[in-house]
Amino acid sequence: MAGLAESGSNPDVELLYNINGLAKDAPRWFDRVMEFVGEYGLLLAMVLLVLWCWWTVRRRGDEGAAASVAGLVWAPLAAGIAVLVNVPIRGFVERPRPFVDHQGLDVLVSGKSDFSFVSDHATLTMAMGVALFVANRKFGLVGIGLALLEGFCRVYMGVHYPTDVVGGFALGTAVALLLSPLAMLLLTPVAKAVERSPRVGWLVRARGAVPVGQEAAIPGARAGASAEERDLAA
């Protein structure tokens, strides 16, 4: 991997220079914005997106609320597991950061002394985005979009090769999807137990939320009572 990175004719390196070259032409304030967004902003946005989805699910309060909340809990867990899996991968590949082997890059973040493949940020965001997609497609598509933007930012900042980002996307997706059935098998009963709790049930279903199906049953019961009253009156 490191040998390929040293070749200037390698498409990976060429794409690195093309994307990072945008930073050289951009105003300094824009680079500072991209630095914050790529290092912290998109991770924070992903967390807020998961919380927003949780708030929406619990307020809706349908019969699948427990399973949906279990899926949302799986999103950050999947991200954490994916990063742990990445630790031995980075130690095995030992690919230096792009700025170590290539001159002329505009590196927006200093102090990056660890290995480059695969990108932790790309792994984290894509694992959360894919796990969120499993729980809720609408929010999941937004999460995957944020993950793609995160990958672009890491290359723009000069701290990762494009293949580092693609590898992170693949790792995050694999962990989120392959372990999802086991995670849901374990987390869904826990979410259902929390839902039944009088103290913390609001974490799964908002107080006063009526599950789908019960709303129709209540008017039907009133209609049945009215028919019975008419029969007695007759």
Side-chain angles (χ1 to χ4, degrees):
M1 186 69 72
L4 290 174
E6 294 173 359
S7 174
S9 61
N10 188 288
D12 192 25
V13 178
E14 292 180 1
L15 189 57
L16 165 68
Y17 275 106
N18 288 335
I19 296 177
N20 181 255
L22 299 174
K24 294 182 178 181
D25 299 330
R28 194 63 180 169
W29 65 265
F30 185 79
D31 284 349
R32 296 281 73 82
V33 171
M34 290 293 286
E35 175 187 347
F36 175 79
V37 169
E39 194 73 6
Y40 308 106
L42 288 172
L43 293 177
L44 177 60
M46 189 69 73
V47 172
L48 293 176
L49 183 65
V50 172
L51 291 175
W52 184 13
C53 186
W54 163 75
W55 185 262
T56 302
V57 166
R58 66 178 290 274
R59 288 191 64 185
R60 188 171 64 237
D62 58 21
E63 295 179 355
S68 297
V69 171
L72 295 176
V73 172
W74 169 235
L77 291 178
I81 293 173
V83 170
L84 290 178
V85 173
N86 187 30
V87 172
I89 294 177
R90 298 183 84 165
F92 176 76
V93 177
E94 295 186 348
R95 187 185 200 183
R97 294 279 182 171
F99 51 80
V100 175
D101 293 328
H102 303 283
Q103 303 297 320
L105 293 173
D106 190 3
V107 183
L108 303 186
V109 180
S110 60
K112 299 290 184 181
S113 58
D114 55 345
F115 295 120
S116 184
F117 185 88
V118 295
S119 168
D120 279 339
H121 283 71
T123 302
L124 274 168
T125 52
M126 187 56 75
M128 292 187 71
V130 172
L132 185 57
F133 181 81
V134 173
N136 186 292
R137 290 189 177 183
K138 181 177 69 174
F139 283 91
L141 287 174
V142 176
I144 292 174
L146 292 177
L148 294 175
L149 180 58
E150 178 68 77
F152 175 83
C153 288
R154 302 307 289 177
V155 180
Y156 181 96
M157 293 160 62
V159 294
H160 281 293
Y161 294 97
T163 48
D164 297 338
V165 170
V166 173
F169 288 163
L171 177 58
T173 300
V175 170
L177 291 182
L178 294 179
L179 297 183
S180 178
L182 177 60
M184 294 302 294
L185 182 65
L186 297 175
L187 293 174
T188 300
V190 176
K192 289 182 178 179
V194 172
E195 183 181 18
R196 292 190 297 267
S197 172
R199 292 187 177 181
V200 294
W202 60 270
L203 290 171
V204 176
R205 180 177 296 168
R207 293 172 181 173
V210 180
V212 175
Q214 289 188 14
E215 294 178 352
I218 293 174
R222 288 198 299 266
S226 298
E228 184 178 356
E229 290 173 0
R230 286 195 298 268
D231 290 340
L232 290 175

